[in-house]
Amino acid sequence: MSQDNLLVIEQDAIPLILSDTIKIATFNLFNYLEPPFAFYDFERIYTAEQWQKKQNWIAEYLIEYKPDVIGFQEVFSPESLKILVAAHGYGYFEVVDEAEVIDDFICRSPVVAIASRYPITHIEAVVPDKELAVSMGLKDDFTFSRQPLRATIELPHIGECDCYVVHFKSKRPMIEHENNDNDESRTQTIIQTLKAEVTGSWGSSIQRGSEAALLLMSIIERREKTGLPMMLMGDFNDSLSDGVLAHLLTGSLRFISESESDVILAKYRLKDTWDLYQATDNCAEMAHRTPTHYYGMKKSVLDYILLSCEFDAQYHSSLFEVSEHDTYDRHLINPSFERDSQSTDHGIVCITLALRA
């Protein structure tokens, strides 16, 4: 981009470059924990060399792709991450929760974080509505498995925008069968394990789907109150086409015509950036979507960025459109031990928003 398309202003003595493009990324860091702390059990501690290698790998991504706003997941050491990203131009960094520490040095329950080159004007934890939770058949003390955050960021041209970062409940079964009965036959063990697998997996699905529904209700309520543009990014731990998350992309209302529904929902609807990219002139043809996670032979898209209508080129009043959609996955499909041994088990999704003419 030429200098003619850039505007430099001063805000709180921090020079900001207002570009015609904005890059947004979601980045699962995979056990980002500074030694000598351990993640999940006492043997899982990075050596000094491994930790530096992980730091370098993250830094190399930031240098190459230069996202302006990044939603992070699996953060155990937010202070270390804040220092790392600050060295690469991210003057704004926030978390709303902290990891749990047991036995003095073993950590679990990592948190989400957000980093930005542009000012974060407000930060808040998203909490579920108790009355809605009860109406859904949940307990009134229902909580998210990982605390989502909402950061209001002052973005170029569009002004304040609400950016949500999430890490929904994983598919790991919530119930596990422990065989403590020496007299239990192999058949009995298999049956009990099957029961735990089925019920535990469904329990995780209930938690994940409930998190998505209650988060969406909070997003809608906030949108009604402020009218600010919205972004939702993170590790969804499931496909958006799956039943328990499908309501995040609500496209119609029952008993209302499609045309009327479009008008009513336009303000509140979130759209997958992949679909928005496919609908623009920047995408010459329908391309294959790159998976963001591999488990054995199974590949999945688990990491997403969703946007409100202000970023939809098909919406008459939109200011930006999705001009690029990239999934960084070299470390997953063609890994090098020297380069990638301390990377992450997820692909990194990064989109480019271009100001519409």
Side-chain angles (χ1 to χ4, degrees):
M1 180 177 296
S2 69
Q3 282 297 120
D4 293 336
N5 292 328
L6 297 178
L7 172 64
V8 179
I9 66 172
E10 294 286 333
Q11 179 170 323
D12 297 330
I14 298 175
L16 299 177
I17 298 177
L18 298 190
S19 170
D20 287 350
T21 61
I22 306 170
K23 299 181 76 172
I24 312 294
T26 178
F27 193 155
N28 185 317
L29 293 169
F30 188 51
N31 298 326
Y32 183 84
L33 178 60
E34 184 174 13
F37 289 96
F39 45 95
Y40 302 115
D41 67 58
F42 69 94
E43 293 182 340
R44 295 182 176 182
I45 304 174
Y46 294 118
T47 65
E49 181 182 1
Q50 288 172 329
W51 176 245
Q52 189 58 54
K53 197 170 185 180
K54 190 171 187 70
Q55 293 279 77
N56 292 343
W57 193 92
I58 297 167
E60 287 172 4
Y61 176 84
L62 299 180
I63 292 169
E64 181 176 355
Y65 283 86
K66 298 179 175 60
D68 297 298
V69 178
I70 315 169
F72 291 107
Q73 302 88 45
E74 294 206 28
V75 180
F76 285 106
S77 300
E79 285 302 317
S80 298
L81 184 59
K82 181 179 181 178
I83 294 170
L84 174 62
V85 299
H88 294 278
Y90 298 88
Y92 305 89
F93 178 90
E94 296 288 350
V95 294
V96 295
D97 201 3
E98 59 184 8
E100 180 183 359
V101 182
I102 58 175
D103 296 333
D104 296 327
F105 74 102
I106 300 175
C107 298
R108 60 188 184 188
S109 304
V111 303
V112 301
I114 192 164
S116 174
R117 298 186 189 276
Y118 295 102
I120 296 177
T121 60
H122 184 75
I123 185 72
E124 190 171 342
V126 179
V127 296
D129 184 299
K130 290 185 177 181
E131 290 186 10
L132 279 176
V134 171
S135 70
M136 292 166 57
L138 306 171
K139 295 181 179 179
D140 62 2
D141 61 351
F142 176 88
T143 58
F144 293 103
S145 55
R146 290 107 169 178
Q147 182 67 67
L149 66 78
R150 182 184 71 242
T152 304
I153 302 179
E154 188 75 27
L155 294 177
H157 306 290
I158 202 167
E160 286 191 325
C161 177
D162 282 336
C163 301
Y164 296 82
V165 183
V166 299
H167 190 180
F168 290 140
K169 178 70 179 73
S170 72
K171 289 187 176 182
R172 186 178 297 109
M174 299 177 72
I175 303 170
E176 294 185 5
H177 172 60
E178 297 183 6
N179 183 12
N180 298 318
D181 184 356
N182 294 330
D183 295 329
E184 190 175 86
S185 69
R186 177 167 175 76
T187 299
Q188 290 174 320
T189 299
I190 292 173
I191 291 173
Q192 294 303 318
T193 301
L194 174 62
K195 289 180 179 179
E197 178 80 17
V198 172
T199 56
S201 295
W202 179 240
S204 294
S205 295
I206 292 172
Q207 174 73 24
R208 185 167 57 258
S210 299
E211 289 177 354
L214 289 168
L215 174 66
L216 183 60
M217 294 305 100
S218 178
I219 290 174
I220 291 173
E221 183 178 348
R222 170 75 175 179
R223 175 73 153 176
E224 178 65 17
K225 180 180 178 181
T226 68
L228 295 179
M230 307 174 292
M231 298 182 182
L232 170 59
M233 66 192 84
D235 177 359
F236 288 14
N237 263 316
D238 214 334
S239 168
L240 266 179
S241 60
D242 184 87
V244 300
L245 295 185
H247 44 277
L248 286 173
L249 300 177
T250 300
S252 61
L253 294 172
R254 294 177 65 189
F255 311 121
I256 298 178
S257 68
E258 185 174 345
S259 59
E260 185 181 3
S261 180
D262 284 341
V263 173
I264 295 172
L265 288 178
K267 180 180 177 181
Y268 305 100
R269 180 186 291 145
L270 291 169
K271 289 192 176 182
D272 184 357
T273 49
W274 175 255
D275 295 333
L276 293 177
Y277 173 62
Q278 293 289 307
T280 65
D281 295 335
N282 301 293
C283 184
E285 58 183 21
M286 293 295 289
H288 174 70
R289 188 169 195 168
T290 304
T292 68
H293 191 261
Y294 295 83
Y295 184 75
M297 298 299 292
K298 184 179 180 181
K299 49 189 177 181
S300 309
V301 177
L302 303 181
D303 304 82
Y304 295 90
I305 302 173
L306 310 184
L307 302 174
S308 59
C309 59
E310 288 84 357
F311 308 98
D312 180 359
Q314 306 301 312
Y315 184 67
H316 62 90
S317 297
S318 63
L319 294 177
F320 284 87
E321 66 178 6
V322 180
S323 61
E324 295 181 35
H325 190 290
D326 178 83
T327 300
Y328 183 79
D329 66 348
R330 182 177 64 177
H331 57 293
L332 300 178
I333 62 173
N334 187 28
S336 162
F337 180 83
E338 182 61 31
R339 182 188 65 218
D340 303 315
S341 60
Q342 302 302 327
S343 56
T344 174
D345 60 344
H346 280 247
I348 307 165
V349 177
C350 183
I351 64 164
T352 301
L353 301 171
L355 189 66
R356 298 186 67 195

